[in-house]
Amino acid sequence: LGLAEISVAITSQVIISRRGLPSKRGLLGALFSVFSSAGILFIGKVGGLLYDSEGPGAAFLVVAALNFAVAIGAGVIWGWKGENRLARDEGRDKPSDEEATDPGTQALAAHAEQS
């Protein structure tokens, strides 16, 4: 179980870091690590307090509520970003210089040409 958890943590950090522009990848990785660590500390503290005061099921309810909030927030951000991307890309024929050198952007462009 521990190996699976650390595999997901490392994989998600790599995915998040690759989504950014090359000049911002280190910053994205660092921010992901900081917020992940803060979340683990928060859940450990709040879950422990609730376990002591309410019982063993309360900690799971906190995690479920936070997961629900993250899912709603991700949906809102995804919808907002999609609208902005459409508005931003309407008058643009080619990627910026920084995007053009990014392997992720090149792979997406190659995939779009195949479609």
Side-chain angles (χ1 to χ4, degrees), residues 10-31:
I10 292 170
T11 304
S12 60
Q13 185 173 4
V14 169
I15 290 170
I16 293 295
S17 295
R18 285 191 169 191
R19 296 288 298 163
L21 295 173
S23 62
K24 304 290 184 195
R25 287 186 181 161
L27 175 65
L28 286 173
L31 284 174

Side-chain angles (χ1 to χ4, degrees), residues 18-112:
R18 285 191 169 191
R19 296 288 298 163
L21 295 173
S23 62
K24 304 290 184 195
R25 287 186 181 161
L27 175 65
L28 286 173
L31 284 174
F32 184 83
S33 294
V34 166
F35 283 104
S36 297
S37 299
I40 289 168
L41 291 172
F42 175 78
I43 291 296
K45 180 68 174 175
V46 172
L49 291 172
L50 286 172
Y51 182 91
D52 291 340
S53 66
E54 303 297 325
F60 292 100
L61 291 177
V62 170
V63 173
L66 288 174
N67 283 336
F68 182 72
V70 167
I72 296 298
V76 167
I77 290 171
W78 192 348
W80 173 76
K81 188 158 177 77
E83 289 175 11
N84 279 348
R85 181 174 290 154
L86 289 175
R88 183 185 71 216
D89 290 345
E90 280 181 355
R92 193 170 105 174
D93 293 335
K94 64 178 190 165
S96 67
D97 292 338
E98 192 170 14
E99 289 174 330
T101 59
D102 179 37
T105 304
Q106 292 171 353
L108 288 173
H111 179 69

